[in-house]
Amino acid sequence: FHFRNKHRPFLLFVSLLHVHTPLITTEKFHGRSRHGLYGDNVEEMDWMVGRLLDVIDKEDLKNTTFIYFASDHGGFLEAHRGNSQLGGWNGIYKGGKGMGGWEGGIRVPGIVRWPGVLPAGTVIDEPTSLMDIYPTVVQLAGGAVPQDRVMDGHTLLPLLQGTEQHSRHEFLFHYCGVFLHAVRWHQKDSGTIWKAHYATPVFQPEASGACFRRGICPCFGDGVTHHDPPLLFNLSQDPSEANPLSADTE
């Protein structure tokens, strides 16, 4: 790595292919993990991020560089080769990549580092979005987002610096392609998070939590179920979306 712009503001955007099929791990990392090819890719990605951070530290840029690490979606559950799963795992969260609404495709790591400004070890439990990166970067650069249209993202800095306690996203809309599948409401006064699903993919097999027979879940047509009334979940109490609330009893 060679930083030409270390004395001037710079934006470095690194979009890693790792943890996404076809899992093109280099020979050096083959077999490094106990979790097969996918684990090898995670280890290689970790090493690459480490190299970047080392250079930033070595060039004495640590305290003046805002770093945001994230994924663009959850694990790709349907990706298989033989018996080996190639697309990761989403823990307690239902569903995965390309499913529009379920938490497994939405909840992703968001890790921030800026030692000169943000205290270490802080955990912020507020809904944010990858749409927020753009206005955050614009603010850091001393610019202003366009005023002639509605921007869907909000700067993350007030949340990160503690000047605001709540996300500016009261609602987040979750699309599968161009089709609205779900919406979440972050009820500010109580902190409760509700989610309504208008359409959900038809899992194959039903209990699998994925669309194994199709290879990836569709966004519309016979591969989705429309819900009227919508499926409603209290994510604060039921993060794995196992128990939809009943209009008759709740």
Side-chain angles (χ1 to χ4, degrees), residues 78 201-202 204 210-224:
E78 291 88 355
V202 177
Q204 303 164 318
C211 302
F212 289 113
R213 291 191 196 122
R214 287 177 182 257
I216 191 164
C217 289
C219 296
F220 63 96
D222 64 352
V224 303

Side-chain angles (χ1 to χ4, degrees), residues 110-162:
I111 304 169
V112 174
R113 189 185 88 152
W114 194 7
V117 179
L118 304 176
T122 306
V123 176
I124 297 172
D125 187 14
E126 287 288 310
T128 63
S129 164
L130 294 184
M131 297 184 294
D132 298 333
I133 295 174
Y134 169 61
T136 304
V137 168
V138 169
Q139 185 183 357
L140 286 169
V145 295
Q147 300 298 304
D148 62 344
R149 70 203 74 180
V150 175
M151 303 305 294
D152 292 320
H154 302 291
T155 173
L156 294 167
L157 294 180
L159 263 185
L160 294 172
Q161 293 175 321

